[in-house]
């Protein structure tokens, strides 16, 4: 009811905002406490009447990362108890030796690739579109597949194509969209939006690149390339263009601001990115002749692109288009069909034989050759060797799909370097009845909102938690893939921290009314000595209205991160294979197709899930 020289509407609004922030921080503390609490239902002894009795055991984990790792392991333990995973893998060269469940990928599910069973549809290609889903719950994020969508391209008997989009945001992929295309879809390429530093255009062009975002390019057998937006499943076609002669596009690869398209006539078309909207400019196309045979696959290596034609590998420099060729196989009748990169090496598969070759990315030197062998009992009568139809590297494993539907994995080093294979191969006892058409790696980082760091032992009795305030600011200033976690290093003794009431107010020393002070006892009728010092300030002294003036927390309304924080990433990964039918191989090497319940002619997707990387 009095007049105070430094209490006005601005200060009152600032106090209300601070109280709202305190409420949000407390809500976050409650949510984080739940994210650190693990509840297990344990069966107990039946009661006297024989009814089953269970009781709940509650664990408080040190942080939410520990809980999400526990939940994921429990989820995988349930999958490991399924019949198809007991066992799921066997050593390729040792009899009756299987891998423990957690040492190898687990078959999470298998499902038909198309809603209508039809022999006219044939799988051709697939890719993972990593789209973050903010609606998933905490437990769902640790038990479902990597977030995003799986795009599958196929062909029909009448020379038409189709693209199917599956959602991976649940434990089982779910078809959410199907749309036809004018010709068989032979290849897919996920094109990321270039960073501002990667583009040489001016600011206006960079803004155009930001608007278009990430895209998905589809190569068709009639020479067309379709460009779709990857924001959602609306599948809006942003651009369509075709090479002049309508030659089928077998493979696509983007590098910086260029799109490379491998054609069946041995040429590679190179398109520049347009500056105004970030799409491709068909009028800027340049042609690079690689060889007389079809360019079956392209691989991006640093600033260059590797193109395979017959038994030759041609390295195309991204900007100058200068070429350098090397012989990948001594037999001219054998062509390179697949390439995957790991560290400083590139593994290659060929059209004939069961061998894989490793080449150095810089010197192009041949480093290693291995044979993808398997037991004759796994093969159909009359077959003596296997042929590689797909290749993939994921989570330290080289995945090899064969024409016989069998999948073989080899361990490769996860660190950067030469990915030579020194360990033993493993054969999956879950196989396709026909060739493995593709192997796709799906991976994503779990949402940071689900993984906010909080520790039971770190809770403070003050009005707010500095780590929660830091998380609030970190959520606005860092990428979604970053996590903050306190390290175990000793921390200096800190004062109780709170929230700064931030406002803009000039000095009130000349205004009428009593001065509102935070000093003990408050101002009196006669000015106190310390008030004389305050009157000399220009901008209003913020310590009057703050709950805490700790500089470690707030500087001009923004947080300064405490030392001892380190970035953590929680990665979820899975591998999807596509092919005709499904069959189960037992440990003795005998195929059992009857109990699978799947038609040998039905296109099938199989999903292998791997443990979270915390």
């Amino acid at each position: 009811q009095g007049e105070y020289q430094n209490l006005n509407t601005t200060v009152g609004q600032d106090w209300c905002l601070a109280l709202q922030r305190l409420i949000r921080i407390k809500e976050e503390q409650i949510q984080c406490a739940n994210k650190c609490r693990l509840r297990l239902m344990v069966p107990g002894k039946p009661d006297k009447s024989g009814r089953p009795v269970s009781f709940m055991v509650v664990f408080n984990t040190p942080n939410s990362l520990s809980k999400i790792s526990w939940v994921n392991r429990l989820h995988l333990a349930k999958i490991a108890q399924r019949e198809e995973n007991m066992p799921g893998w066997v050593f390729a060269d040792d009899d009756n030796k299987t891998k423990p469940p957690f040492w190898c990928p687990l078959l999470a599910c298998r499902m038909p690739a198309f809603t209508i069973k039809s022999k006219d549809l044939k799988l051709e290609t697939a890719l993972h579109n990593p789209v973050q889903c903010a609606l998933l719950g905490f437990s769902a994020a640790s038990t479902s597949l990597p977030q995003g969508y799986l795009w599958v391209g196929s062909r029909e008997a009448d020379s038409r194509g189709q693209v199917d989009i599956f959602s991976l945001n649940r434990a089982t992929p779910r078809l959410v969209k199907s749309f036809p295309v004018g010709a068989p879809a032979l290849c897919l390429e996920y094109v990321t939006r270039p960073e501002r530093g990667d583009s040489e255009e001016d600011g206006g062009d960079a803004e155009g690149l930001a608007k278009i975002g990430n895209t998905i390019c589809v190569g068709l057998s009639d020479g067309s390339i379709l460009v779709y937006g990857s924001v959602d499943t609306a599948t809006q076609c942003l651009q369509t263009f075709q090479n002049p002669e309508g030659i089928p596009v077998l493979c696509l690869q983007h590098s910086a601001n260029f799109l490379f398209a491998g054609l069946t006539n041995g040429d590679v078309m190179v398109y520049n990115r347009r500056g105004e909207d970030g799409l491709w400019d068909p009028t800027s196309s340049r042609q690079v002749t690689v060889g007389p045979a079809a360019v079956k696959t392209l691989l991006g290596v640093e600033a260059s692109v590797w193109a395979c034609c017959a038994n030759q590998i041609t390295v195309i420099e991204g900007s100058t288009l200068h070429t350098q060729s090397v012989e990948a196989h001594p037999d001219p009748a054998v062509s390179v069909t697949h390439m995957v990169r790991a560290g400083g090496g590139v593994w290659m598969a060929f059209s004939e034989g069961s061998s894989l070759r490793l080449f150095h990315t810089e010197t192009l030197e041949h480093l290693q050759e291995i044979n993808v062998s398997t037991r004759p009992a796994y093969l159909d009568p009359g077959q003596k060797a296997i042929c590689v139809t797909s290749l993939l590297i994921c989570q330290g494993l080289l995945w090899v799909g064969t024409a016989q539907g069998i999948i073989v994995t080899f361990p490769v080093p996860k660190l950067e370097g030469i990915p030579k294979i020194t360990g033993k191969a493993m054969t999956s006892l879950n196989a396709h009845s026909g060739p493995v058409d593709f192997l796709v790696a799906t991976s994503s980082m779990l949402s940071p909102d689900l993984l906010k760091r909080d520790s039971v032992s770190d809770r403070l009795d003050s009005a707010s938690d500095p780590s929660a305030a830091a998380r609030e600011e970190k959520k606005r200033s860092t990428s979604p893939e970053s996590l903050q976690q306190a390290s175990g290093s000793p921390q200096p003794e800190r004062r109780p921290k709170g929230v700064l009431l931030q406002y803009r107010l000039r000095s009130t020393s000349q205004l009428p009314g009593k001065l509102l002070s935070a000093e003990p006892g408050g101002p009196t009728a006669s000015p106190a000595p310390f008030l004389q010092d305050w009157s000399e300030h220009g901008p209003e002294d913020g310590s009057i209205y703050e709950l805490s003036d700790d500089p470690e927390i707030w500087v001009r309304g923004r947080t300064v991160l405490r030392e001892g924080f380190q970035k953590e990433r929680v990665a979820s990964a899975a591998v999807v294979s596509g092919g005709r039918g499904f069959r189960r191989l037992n440990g003795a090497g005998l195929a059992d197709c009857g109990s699978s319940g799947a038609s040998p002619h039905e296109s099938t997707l199989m999903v292998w899930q791997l443990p979270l990387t915390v």
Side-chain angles (χ1 to χ4, degrees), residues 324-352:
Q324 177 186 2
S325 298
V326 64
E327 186 180 85
H329 198 280
D331 189 355
V334 176
S335 61
V336 181
T337 56
H338 299 87
M339 295 186 294
V340 290
R341 181 190 179 186
V346 174
W347 281 101
M348 300 182 187
F350 305 93
S351 58
E352 296 181 12

Side-chain angles (χ1 to χ4, degrees), residues 44-202:
K45 295 182 179 180
D47 58 12
K48 295 181 179 179
S49 60
R51 291 178 300 181
V53 176
S54 61
F55 58 95
M56 179 180 292
V57 180
V58 180
F59 294 93
N60 285 324
T61 61
N63 52 65
S64 58
L65 295 181
S66 298
K67 177 183 175 179
I68 204 170
S69 179
W70 270 80
V71 173
N72 180 253
R73 286 287 178 162
L74 290 174
H75 169 69
L76 294 180
K78 294 179 180 179
I79 297 178
Q81 299 301 314
R82 298 175 183 174
E83 181 180 359
E84 57 267 25
N85 290 314
M86 298 184 66
W89 297 80
V90 65
F91 283 111
D93 53 355
D94 294 339
D95 293 334
N96 299 326
K97 286 189 176 181
T98 60
K99 276 283 190 179
F102 282 115
W103 284 35
C104 54
L106 296 173
L107 181 61
C109 63
R110 57 182 175 88
M111 57 178 295
F114 307 112
T115 56
I116 301 176
K117 298 180 181 179
S118 174
K119 297 181 181 180
D120 296 336
L121 289 174
K122 181 185 181 300
L123 295 174
E124 288 288 342
T125 182
L127 64 76
H128 176 231
N129 176 18
V131 178
Q132 197 80 7
C133 179
L135 301 179
L136 288 182
F138 180 83
S139 297
S142 60
T143 58
S144 66
L145 302 175
Q147 300 182 34
Y149 299 95
L150 178 71
W151 288 52
V152 178
S154 58
R155 67 159 68 223
E156 297 182 16
D158 58 354
S159 298
R160 294 184 62 84
Q162 180 174 308
V163 174
D164 298 271
I165 304 177
F166 295 85
S167 173
L168 301 179
N169 293 332
R170 294 295 181 267
T172 303
R174 180 175 58 92
L175 180 64
V176 294
K177 184 77 173 183
S178 293
F179 59 93
V181 289
L186 303 181
C187 56
L188 296 167
E189 174 70 2
Y190 181 75
V191 181
T192 57
R193 178 185 62 197
E195 299 294 338
R196 186 178 297 270
D198 297 340
S199 176
E200 298 181 357
E201 283 81 13
D202 55 18

Side-chain angles (χ1 to χ4, degrees), residues 11-63:
V11 177
Q13 291 176 349
D14 187 66
W15 283 354
C16 292
L17 292 176
L19 292 175
Q20 293 175 6
R21 182 182 299 151
L22 290 176
I23 294 174
R24 289 197 304 269
I25 291 175
K26 280 300 179 182
E27 290 176 348
E28 285 188 2
Q29 290 178 354
I30 295 174
Q31 293 177 2
C32 289
N34 291 332
K35 293 174 184 178
C36 296
R37 186 168 295 124
L38 182 64
R39 301 178 179 88
L40 298 179
M41 294 298 297
V42 181
K45 295 182 179 180
D47 58 12
K48 295 181 179 179
S49 60
R51 291 178 300 181
V53 176
S54 61
F55 58 95
M56 179 180 292
V57 180
V58 180
F59 294 93
N60 285 324
T61 61
N63 52 65

